[in-house]
Amino acid sequence: MSEPNTREITYLEAVREALTQEMRRDPSVFLLGEDIGVYGGAFGVTRGMLEEFGPERVRDTPISEAAIAGAATGAALMGMRPVMEIMFMDFITIAMNQLVNQAAKIRFMFGGKASIPMVIRTPAGSGTGAAAQHCQSLEAWFINVPGIKVVAPATPYDAKGLLIAAIRDNNPVLFMEHKLLYRTKGPVPEELYSIPLGQAVVRREGRDATVLAYSVMVPRALEAAEQLSREGIELEVIDLRSLKPLDQATIVASVSKTGRVLIVHEAPRTGGFGGELAAVIAESEAFDYLDAPIRRLAGRDIPIPYNRTLERAAVPQVEDIVAAARALAQEGR
Amino acid sequence: MTEFVPHPILDPAVIPRGSQQLLRELPKERLAWMLQKMCEIRYFEEKAEELYVRGLVHGTMHLSIGQEASSVGSIAALRPDDLIIHHHRGHGHTIAKGADLKRMMAEFLGKECGYCRGRGGSMHIADIPGGNLGATGVVGSGIPTAVGIALALQMRRSPQVLLAFFGDGAVNLGEFHEALNMAAIWKLPVVFICENNQYGMSGPAKVMCAVQPLSVRAIAYNMPGQTVDGNDVLAVYQVTQAAVERARRGEGPAFIENYTYRWRGHSKSDRNVYRTQAEIDEWKQRCPIARFKQLLIEAHVLTPEEVETIDAQAKMAIERAAEEALVCPEPSPENLEAEVYAP
Ligand SMILES: Cc1ncc(C[n+]2csc(CCOP(=O)(O)OP(=O)(O)O)c2C)c(N)n1
């Protein structure tokens, strides 16, 4: 990425840049959410956007998640391209009826005569000491609902490119950000570009085992791979980026090559997306290449605790990935 | 700048009798207790802020400095075995309900001896045996839960009453409307208390709510509603007491709006860009604690020395609580799975 117009910006700035550039390009794109105007959003993502676009397109709402989701759905039905913000992913529970029973269903249920081009932006994940009601990663619920797409970028570059693709997509797209990634930096081109939904990327090549990760687990997996490399264990790290649609080909090819796979996510293990990924692999031709059972490393089956030590212990950390991947690489050898 | 406008009273049963009369009626000990709790809340939160700045706290906090009359005045109207359920800005309610200051501070610091053993933190302090059924961090989500608590009280023919606290931001959630309607049709023993500190995170209640004052919404649910000067602890007390006793008689719920002001930012990350410093300063002039102290002294209920003693003792109690909490043990991350389900 050595294009002249590429600079280092944060994940948060990349999200803001995608929103800003799409709003400049397309007048039907607008934002709605709580405290996104003068406050600039709880995490500062939309800071400065009210000044550029005004209160009609950077629309502060009351604390009414159900109506926010309904307003976005209805406006999208009319051909607008709303980007709604749910301040913490936990509060999406309040918007569920509109998202699951309306936004996700309208296209199919009305015989393909309508579409709902909207984006639901929301920060997920733990690590900020906000406890059980402000830290959840609820992607598995949405993946189980036909009609909604789910993306979870791990880098500033992907945050911008995937958000632009999500805004241009003609369907509801759940765009999961991560609080701990907001301040991370990476190279991002100034110009508009989009990354097609449904394409994973191999972040690091390796022969000994594949690690499937997304969102904040990608940098953790890469750090773990770096450490294990010093021991002579080479991990292949795949950043899924888009959970639905899912890039099965990249996963199957990698697992067929390494014969071992560790699936890592922050959400609780039971009923998590990792189970689906394991099934995809088990049902594919990669199954024949497996030299060890498919392994999952996920959040513990507990609400996220407040205390810092407990909070860390609730979700996979670098050292957990190192230990799990090392054991997997050695299993049966 | 928004002025406090007393709202025409919807139910003649809850007309405030005026502070002067109340100062004569209430025992001196009770009034002194109110002042003590207000001071403890103020010092607790100033301490919390200090610990936060010193880097001893991982997480966020929501301070109710400036709103002490609302929590103390409301809870003063309860009997000891009455109940509360509340929200993220909940230190005040917890202290007024009689919580142990050390265990509160320990929870704030994430310690094993905290009320929730470090699992909940500042936003979720609960003292179930003490009648504090917990604080929710999801705006408005305690309101429907309150309906269930009050339903259980009614089904068991209990004489207890529940106070359900929430902010002005919560009244725009669908849950608020569903809950008030249900409580009203079943005549449940619950008093809904909206602490209108004039802002959600940044959204002004005046902009975000289609109708003012917020207590007008009670009309839609056929229950008494009243807006009170939430910085006048005795006014809050009187209105709440009338509503609580009405609920205890089986006459159903009421909705009270305590009109007050949040001095501090919404949480640790607030830059206060949505309001002016002049507005904040003006409300600081209406400090509920200074006002109550002055009232008590002018009415000769307490001497200036007695007032100072109460204040100093509250400060000391908080200092002691913080010192003790800081040396409490940390919780262990082992076997947390065993705590998720009741046996
Ligand atoms: C359902 C929900 N939406 C958004 C938030 C984020 N949030 C936390 S507190 C708050 C403002 C709440 O305002 P209010 O109810 O007036 O209470 P206050 O904080 O002013 O005491 C917001 C928007 C939340 N916690 N829950």
Side-chain angles (χ1 to χ4, degrees):
Chain A
M1 224 159 323
S2 52
E3 293 125 65
N5 298 332
T6 294
R7 69 261 112 98
E8 293 260 320
I9 60 173
T10 64
Y11 183 99
L12 182 146
E13 288 163 341
V15 171
R16 183 192 298 145
E17 190 164 280
L19 294 171
T20 302
Q21 292 182 348
E22 280 297 280
M23 284 177 73
R24 285 182 193 148
R25 190 188 63 80
D26 180 351
S28 66
V29 178
F30 72 100
L31 313 183
L32 74 170
E34 294 157 15
D35 308 289
I36 63 171
V38 61
Y39 198 93
F43 295 91
V45 172
T46 53
R47 195 170 288 171
M49 292 188 69
L50 175 71
E51 288 74 3
E52 175 167 356
F53 298 104
E56 191 176 16
R57 293 180 73 200
V58 180
R59 200 167 266 270
D60 264 331
T61 67
I63 306 174
S64 307
E65 282 78 6
I68 294 170
T73 303
L77 178 62
M78 296 298 292
M80 301 292 285
R81 290 188 176 269
V83 180
M84 59 172 271
E85 176 178 305
I86 294 286
M87 194 185 286
F88 286 76
M89 187 171 204
D90 311 69
F91 316 150
I92 210 164
T93 50
I94 302 163
M96 254 354 209
N97 182 39
Q98 287 297 319
L99 298 179
V100 173
N101 291 325
Q102 291 280 65
K105 301 293 188 286
I106 281 175
R107 170 86 188 161
F108 181 87
M109 192 168 71
F110 296 162
K113 298 285 191 269
S115 59
I116 305 295
M118 67 187 256
V119 177
I120 307 114
R121 279 188 46 242
T122 190
S126 62
T128 62
Q133 296 178 332
H134 286 72
C135 292
Q136 294 171 87
S137 304
L138 302 172
E139 63 273 18
W141 295 357
F142 290 89
I143 291 165
N144 197 230
V145 175
I148 296 189
K149 299 183 179 182
V150 181
V151 295
T155 66
Y157 181 87
D158 284 356
K160 180 172 175 183
L162 287 170
L163 182 50
I164 290 171
I167 292 171
R168 295 179 187 176
D169 198 281
N170 288 326
N171 299 283
V173 180
L174 176 68
F175 188 85
M176 287 175 67
E177 297 163 16
H178 199 290
K179 292 151 212 160
L180 297 186
L181 293 175
Y182 276 140
R183 307 282 157 207
T184 60
K185 281 195 158 191
V188 176
E190 274 174 23
E191 51 274 358
L192 279 161
Y193 60 92
S194 76
I195 300 171
L197 307 187
Q199 288 187 3
V201 59
V202 180
R203 292 271 175 226
R204 180 188 176 107
E205 291 190 19
R207 54 166 197 269
D208 295 325
T210 299
V211 177
L212 301 181
Y214 53 93
S215 191
V216 78
M217 290 302 151
V218 173
R220 288 187 195 169
L222 288 169
E223 169 64 29
E226 194 65 36
Q227 290 183 22
L228 284 174
S229 172
R230 284 178 231 133
E231 299 176 16
I233 297 171
E234 294 300 337
L235 300 181
E236 178 143 303
V237 178
I238 295 185
D239 177 356
L240 297 174
R241 304 199 287 193
S242 164
L243 312 186
K244 192 178 187 181
L246 181 67
D247 183 353
Q248 300 195 6
T250 299
I251 297 170
V252 169
S254 174
V255 177
S256 301
K257 180 180 89 175
T258 63
R260 290 159 199 266
V261 60
L262 176 68
I263 299 162
V264 187
H265 61 64
E266 177 169 354
R269 176 186 179 92
T270 305
F273 185 48
E276 175 65 21
L277 291 170
V280 164
I281 296 163
E283 287 175 342
S284 77
E285 72 254 27
F287 182 75
D288 293 333
Y289 295 90
L290 286 176
D291 296 323
I294 299 167
R295 295 292 176 201
R296 283 184 291 163
L297 179 66
R300 288 165 67 179
D301 285 322
I302 57 171
I304 301 291
Y306 168 73
N307 173 279
R308 188 196 292 256
T309 310
L310 270 50
E311 185 189 36
R312 269 193 109 253
V315 302
Q317 304 295 335
V318 174
E319 61 270 23
D320 304 317
I321 304 177
V322 167
R326 185 193 290 125
L328 173 64
Q330 291 163 354
E331 210 167 328
R333 281 212 217 266
Chain B
M1 196 29 246
T2 44
E3 267 310 305
F4 169 69
V5 187
H7 174 58
I9 287 135
L10 299 176
D11 182 340
V14 290
I15 297 171
R17 298 192 292 285
S19 299
Q20 291 303 328
Q21 190 183 336
L22 209 65
L23 284 171
R24 288 191 297 276
E25 281 176 18
L26 280 174
K28 173 179 167 176
E29 299 70 46
R30 193 71 183 144
L31 294 162
W33 174 88
M34 288 186 190
L35 179 61
Q36 177 200 334
K37 289 294 145 187
M38 289 170 77
C39 292
E40 285 175 2
I41 296 168
R42 175 71 56 94
Y43 289 127
F44 181 92
E45 297 206 311
E46 286 179 355
K47 192 61 166 182
E49 222 174 8
E50 179 201 315
L51 295 171
Y52 192 87
V53 171
R54 282 166 56 196
L56 296 170
V57 183
H58 169 62
T60 191
M61 61 181 176
H62 304 86
L63 302 178
S64 65
I65 294 179
Q67 304 177 205
E68 295 88 349
S70 172
S71 43
V72 173
S74 307
I75 290 171
L78 295 182
R79 295 182 189 167
D81 67 338
D82 284 333
L83 306 171
I84 67 165
I85 182 168
H86 59 137
H87 65 306
H88 58 278
R89 203 172 301 285
H91 299 151
H93 317 126
T94 304
I95 290 175
K97 192 71 180 78
D100 176 73
L101 298 170
K102 172 191 150 188
R103 293 184 64 199
M104 260 187 89
M105 198 60 95
E107 189 57 38
F108 180 58
L109 293 166
K111 304 285 191 156
E112 182 66 31
C113 57
Y115 269 109
C116 310
R117 303 173 54 221
R119 275 79 168 150
S122 153
M123 207 171 9
H124 301 298
I125 301 182
D127 171 17
I128 308 287
N132 172 353
L133 301 184
T136 176
V138 181
V139 171
S141 61
I143 311 175
T145 313
V147 171
I149 296 163
L151 176 63
L153 294 177
Q154 187 187 62
M155 291 176 77
R156 291 181 179 159
R157 311 288 182 263
S158 165
Q160 291 160 285
V161 170
L162 170 70
L163 293 189
F165 290 95
F166 46 88
D168 47 280
V171 304
N172 293 323
L173 279 139
E175 287 174 307
F176 166 87
H177 299 275
E178 297 179 25
L180 263 69
N181 184 62
M182 199 179 270
I185 62 170
W186 292 343
K187 285 198 182 321
L188 298 179
V190 50
V191 177
F192 298 102
I193 301 198
C194 177
E195 299 197 309
N196 181 355
N197 61 17
Q198 307 190 32
Y199 295 92
M201 192 172 279
S202 68
K206 288 245 151 55
V207 175
M208 291 299 169
C209 301
V211 66
Q212 309 289 336
L214 303 183
S215 57
V216 171
R217 294 190 184 213
I219 299 171
Y221 304 108
N222 195 26
M223 66 174 78
Q226 185 162 344
T227 298
V228 190
D229 178 349
N231 282 13
D232 178 347
V233 66
L234 295 179
V236 172
Y237 167 79
Q238 284 182 74
V239 174
T240 315
Q241 199 204 28
V244 164
E245 291 318 319
R246 184 178 175 280
R248 210 186 299 282
R249 291 194 301 271
E251 293 171 35
F255 179 67
I256 297 169
E257 175 191 12
N258 292 342
Y259 195 82
T260 178
Y261 196 80
R262 149 165 80 63
W263 290 12
R264 293 296 194 268
H266 166 74
S267 67
K268 57 172 185 175
S269 51
D270 190 343
R271 296 172 303 135
N272 276 318
V273 289
Y274 50 88
R275 56 182 183 176
T276 63
Q277 189 57 44
E279 180 187 292
I280 300 172
D281 291 343
E282 189 180 336
W283 275 91
K284 285 188 178 172
Q285 297 303 310
R286 308 187 202 180
C287 173
I289 297 178
R291 178 171 167 184
F292 190 41
K293 282 180 178 170
Q294 193 183 346
L295 191 71
L296 291 169
I297 292 168
E298 281 174 6
H300 303 291
V301 175
L302 297 177
T303 64
E305 293 72 32
E306 285 172 320
V307 163
E308 276 329 295
T309 305
I310 289 171
D311 187 293
Q313 280 174 352
K315 189 168 189 156
M316 261 166 50
I318 297 299
E319 289 296 338
R320 206 167 38 239
E323 276 166 30
E324 290 174 6
L326 277 165
V327 297
C328 284
E330 293 277 321
S332 154
E334 306 299 319
N335 207 17
L336 295 169
E337 284 77 0
E339 300 175 18
V340 179
Y341 295 97

